Amino acid sequence: MIASSINPVKGPTYRRWASVLCGMCILGLLMYTGVGAVAAQETTTNITIDGEQLKSEDNVVVLNDPNANITVTADAPVELIELRVNGDVYRSYRPNSTTFDRSVTLDLDPNENTVEVITKSDTVTTFKSSITKHTAAPRVEYTSPFSTTVKGGPNNTVNVTSGQVTLAGNLHTVVDVKSIRIERTSNYGPDESSSDVDRKIHRISNPGESFSQELLLVDGTNNLTAEYTDTLGRTNTDRFVIDVDDESDPTINITVADESYTDTASIGGTVQDETKLKRVEINRTSNNGSQVLMLSANAKPNPDKLKYSFDTTVELYDDNDDNEFKITAEDAAGNIRNQTFV
């Protein structure tokens, strides 16, 4: 009797709980399989700089203001796109679309620039990178006849003691140097009031990372203009003066026998100077006779006048005594060297 009175009560209650549990299982299964779940929205931003892909947190180098192409794709409509350069809003767009494609020229500052693209749809994404703009023409670190740093450049006036110098240096540039043009302009006298000018131009093509050019200068003021041009046509020009103070005498080397069994003797040798030879002559000290071997009319630079070779014959007069001679060499600066022999 007790058992039969309880069974009718438990049957309906058990079925109701079973139905509730079954519904919860179905809901849990639906949530596990993703049916009815909210998917995360995704936004993709791509940028090319002059046709080259720019990666996030990248650092690229350009030589001029580049063209940037910005493309954005999103699962939800994009409300706002901001292009920022160095923290300032450079361009802003409201596409109200899931795709965006736009080209724009970036007006960059010299050196490093921070570029950001901020996109707002259902979420906010930021693409950030940097672009370094090099606008400087080639720079030179001179190594001869003076030394400089890359940033310093040459002094207005450089003092040297010889008319033969080498202008040399190391080139610092983003792209290759295409050509170097060196112009030397000198006032060569014959006196301080003269306006006679000599001009010499040297050209060097595709020098690589360094260059070296021999220069022949006059004693006094020499104006130099050096132009360095890269493959993009950008030119850096240095202008300076090389002041030559030649205080060195010419050098004399002679070959002569100290005895002769005839009335003549052969004398040979060479005379050299670091700037330019003006006069070479042989003088007989006993009777003041002279023989001019070489004479230059002015101080105009001339590589043929840096060295003079001679082979001449002199007459002998004293049979039983020494015949004394003196060779005199004078350079364009007025420095004189004498050498006596018998």
Side-chain angles (χ1 to χ4, degrees):
M1 292 295 291
I2 296 174
S4 60
S5 63
I6 294 175
N7 286 337
V9 177
K10 282 188 175 182
T13 302
Y14 174 78
R15 285 193 297 270
R16 284 195 299 271
W17 278 107
S19 176
V20 171
L21 291 172
C22 183
M24 293 177 65
C25 290
I26 293 173
L27 178 61
L29 181 62
L30 289 174
M31 293 178 65
Y32 176 79
T33 57
V35 177
V38 178
Q41 302 296 321
E42 183 177 348
T43 301
T44 302
T45 302
N46 288 298
I47 302 177
T48 61
I49 300 297
D50 290 336
E52 298 292 333
Q53 185 71 40
L54 182 64
K55 298 178 182 179
S56 181
E57 304 300 332
D58 202 359
N59 189 343
V60 299
V61 176
V62 296
L63 304 177
N64 299 290
D65 289 331
N67 180 71
N69 184 259
I70 305 169
T71 58
V72 177
T73 57
D75 293 333
V78 177
E79 300 176 14
L80 176 66
I81 295 175
E82 283 189 353
L83 170 61
R84 297 184 180 183
V85 177
N86 298 324
D88 297 327
V89 177
Y90 188 74
R91 296 286 189 277
S92 63
Y93 309 95
R94 296 185 178 275
N96 194 27
S97 173
T98 57
T99 61
F100 175 81
D101 190 338
R102 185 67 57 90
S103 293
V104 59
T105 299
L106 299 180
D107 185 10
L108 302 180
D109 295 333
N111 302 318
E112 188 173 351
N113 298 262
T114 300
V115 177
E116 298 173 279
V117 176
I118 301 173
T119 304
K120 182 179 183 300
S121 54
D122 285 351
T123 58
V124 176
T125 61
T126 300
F127 181 101
K128 183 178 181 180
S129 191
S130 64
I131 303 175
T132 299
K133 178 182 173 183
H134 284 301
T135 59
R139 301 295 301 171
V140 183
E141 178 188 8
Y142 289 96
T143 57
S144 176
F146 49 86
S147 298
T148 67
T149 64
V150 177
K151 296 181 180 180
N155 294 327
N156 292 333
T157 301
V158 179
N159 297 306
V160 297
T161 59
S162 172
Q164 299 177 72
V165 300
T166 300
L167 186 66
N170 300 317
L171 300 169
H172 293 259
T173 179
V174 179
V175 297
D176 291 338
V177 173
K178 181 180 180 181
S179 64
I180 299 176
R181 180 183 182 275
I182 302 170
E183 179 179 339
R184 185 267 301 156
T185 305
S186 305
N187 187 321
Y188 60 85
D191 52 49
E192 295 181 356
S193 63
S194 173
S195 60
D196 292 335
V197 175
D198 181 68
R199 181 177 287 104
K200 177 69 175 179
I201 296 176
H202 303 275
R203 300 181 188 275
I204 305 173
S205 299
N206 303 315
E209 296 181 354
S210 62
F211 74 98
S212 178
Q213 177 62 55
E214 300 294 327
L215 301 177
L216 183 57
L217 311 175
V218 301
D219 184 66
T221 301
N222 301 265
N223 296 287
L224 272 294
T225 301
E227 298 177 348
Y228 307 92
T229 303
D230 64 20
T231 55
L232 296 178
R234 297 176 301 187
T235 299
N236 177 47
T237 303
D238 287 333
R239 294 181 175 85
F240 51 95
V241 172
I242 298 182
D243 195 357
V244 179
D245 185 11
D246 181 8
E247 296 183 353
S248 299
D249 298 337
T251 60
I252 301 175
N253 292 288
I254 61 172
T255 302
V256 61
D258 58 2
E259 287 185 310
S260 175
Y261 297 95
T262 67
D263 292 335
T264 61
S266 295
I267 303 173
T270 58
V271 180
Q272 290 181 270
D273 189 68
E274 295 181 350
T275 304
K276 183 183 180 181
L277 290 169
K278 178 181 179 180
R279 174 175 60 97
V280 178
E281 64 181 34
I282 297 179
N283 294 283
R284 179 188 295 276
T285 60
S286 58
N287 62 2
N288 296 324
S290 65
Q291 180 181 352
V292 177
L293 302 178
M294 190 275 289
L295 184 64
S296 179
N298 54 53
K300 180 179 179 180
N302 187 344
D304 296 334
K305 300 300 182 183
L306 297 174
K307 180 179 180 179
Y308 177 74
S309 299
F310 62 91
D311 186 3
T312 187
T313 300
V314 295
E315 293 183 355
L316 305 177
Y317 291 95
D318 295 325
D319 293 335
N320 299 318
D321 202 356
D322 292 340
N323 290 265
E324 186 178 79
F325 295 88
K326 180 175 69 175
I327 291 185
T328 299
E330 181 182 4
D331 66 16
N335 301 305
I336 297 176
R337 168 88 66 176
N338 293 310
Q339 185 167 332
T340 303
F341 61 94
V342 296

